[in-house]
Amino acid sequence: MAGEALYRAFGSAVSTRRKALGLTQAELAAKVNMSRASIANIESGRQNVLLHHVYALAAALELTKVAELLPPIPQKPLVEELKMMLSNQALSKQTLSQNAEAQVADLIKSALQPRRGKA
Amino acid sequence: MADADLDRARACARSILVEFGVSAPPVPVERIIKSRKIVIQYAPLEEDLSGMAYIKDGVGIIGVNALHHPNRQRFSAAHELAHHVLHAPKISQAVHVDKGIRVLFRDDVSALGTEPMEIEANAFASELLIPSDLLATALEGGGVDLEDEAAIEALARRFKVSSTAMRFRLTRW
């Protein structure tokens, strides 16, 4: 995934999760010792993020895995194999973005993985 | 495509509740899904995606956007279960991805040509998570003022649904 798209996807995941928790940008900023402006820039994908910030953000957003904020590695062959059928509930954008397609393909892949653990 | 068959969708939801012996809210939607041998997977998806349904080589999959509020995730899961129960042939052909919760503006959406599939899935999900009989019990035979935010929220909490979903359910009560 190109750098720009990666930061946008990360920022959008941070923003979505923050809103789901009912936090303001300032509240999140305080939790991770960053400025509100940095959070705003990260959320809009305009700021490159350091790895320890990724961990701090994941923890502040009450996630157990940093991966929940990270876009999946594109799985081209699988994405192409799966024809995405998009319900036309949305008014605009009838197609999925590349990132969304990769997310869905990734989800399907992990769902199809044999369950480990309990034999 | 044929008109949406809401009666059939709600009847299917009710028979699942009976089969599962659900007698009090909240309805254990995840347990119901798992009992039907469908794999439910939570994963972060773009904000406007609520969930997806797919059957690959006989394996049923439900995906839910893990970044959404838990109550909204429950509705998404129930909506996707509806596709498995009502629309299995369709979701075996291609991955079915659902966007948004435009569900709650039915007339608006149907006027825009939303597939009957989605309207059916929403009716199913609404009936599954807020079954008529459990709602009647919760209302103790009375009603609720739709303007009474606190009462709607308390009701929504009991059923673990969003207050929007509850308000929607009550308006067709």
Side-chain angles (χ1 to χ4, degrees):
Chain A
M1 184 179 295
E4 209 181 305
L6 182 59
Y7 288 106
R8 263 206 313 277
F10 175 76
S12 138
V14 169
S15 158
T16 302
R17 178 68 183 173
R18 174 180 61 74
K19 288 174 194 157
L21 294 175
L23 292 171
T24 64
Q25 288 184 335
E27 284 163 346
L28 178 59
K31 278 173 174 254
V32 294
N33 276 325
M34 293 169 79
S35 67
R36 194 206 61 82
S38 285
I39 298 295
N41 285 330
I42 287 171
E43 288 189 355
S44 59
R46 289 191 305 265
Q47 181 167 325
N48 294 1
V49 194
L50 297 170
L51 189 55
H52 69 277
H53 287 156
V54 175
Y55 276 83
L57 286 167
L61 292 169
E62 297 169 27
L63 297 170
T64 49
K65 284 183 260 159
V66 283
E68 302 214 13
L69 292 173
L70 304 177
I73 295 167
Q75 305 287 339
K76 259 285 143 80
L78 184 60
V79 172
E80 273 156 24
E81 181 198 323
L82 305 164
K83 269 185 301 163
M84 303 283 176
M85 180 166 85
L86 196 61
S87 99
N88 59 358
Q89 285 198 48
L91 292 165
S92 55
K93 263 182 59 176
Q94 292 298 308
T95 52
L96 290 180
S97 71
Q98 263 196 355
N99 182 47
E101 282 207 354
Q103 288 175 331
V104 172
D106 198 59
L107 187 156
I108 293 167
K109 218 178 90 187
S110 34
L112 291 172
Q113 260 165 16
R115 306 278 117 175
R116 271 161 297 184
K118 286 178 284 184
Chain B
M1 197 173 183
D3 283 346
D5 188 345
L6 300 186
D7 290 340
R8 169 174 167 255
R10 291 189 187 116
C12 284
R14 274 193 292 273
S15 75
I16 288 175
L17 291 164
V18 170
E19 197 184 305
F20 215 76
V22 177
S23 56
V27 174
V29 61
E30 186 175 319
R31 288 223 320 272
I32 292 175
I33 288 169
K34 287 181 173 164
S35 78
R36 303 177 75 86
K37 306 282 177 228
I38 296 168
V39 181
I40 180 161
Q41 187 82 26
Y42 298 88
L45 302 175
E46 288 194 349
E47 181 157 19
D48 60 342
L49 303 183
S50 49
M52 51 77 57
Y54 185 43
I55 300 174
K56 184 169 169 67
D57 306 328
V59 181
I61 303 170
I62 286 178
V64 173
N65 192 342
L67 296 173
H68 286 163
H69 188 281
N71 289 347
R72 183 167 165 194
Q73 290 182 29
R74 281 167 51 79
F75 195 93
S76 303
H79 177 105
E80 302 308 334
L81 174 60
H83 288 316
H84 280 270
V85 174
L86 305 170
H87 315 122
K90 261 249 152 103
I91 62 166
S92 302
Q93 288 160 20
V95 182
H96 180 92
V97 181
D98 282 303
K99 276 196 164 194
I101 44 165
R102 311 215 77 244
V103 296
L104 304 174
F105 308 100
R106 272 195 312 169
D107 292 341
D108 172 31
V109 176
S110 45
L112 290 160
T114 292
E115 289 173 67
M117 265 175 81
E118 300 314 319
I119 302 171
E120 288 175 357
N122 290 332
F124 174 101
S126 187
E127 183 66 34
L128 187 79
L129 295 180
I130 315 169
S132 312
D133 54 338
L134 300 189
L135 180 60
T137 309
L139 290 173
E140 290 162 349
V144 63
D145 184 350
L146 282 177
E147 302 288 330
D148 186 347
E149 300 281 337
I152 300 274
E153 266 165 38
L155 208 48
R157 263 198 306 278
R158 275 176 79 173
F159 287 85
K160 287 203 180 189
V161 297
S162 69
S163 27
T164 317
M166 179 53 76
R167 201 169 272 117
F168 170 69
R169 177 69 177 80
L170 288 166
T171 52
R172 74 153 190 89
W173 172 243

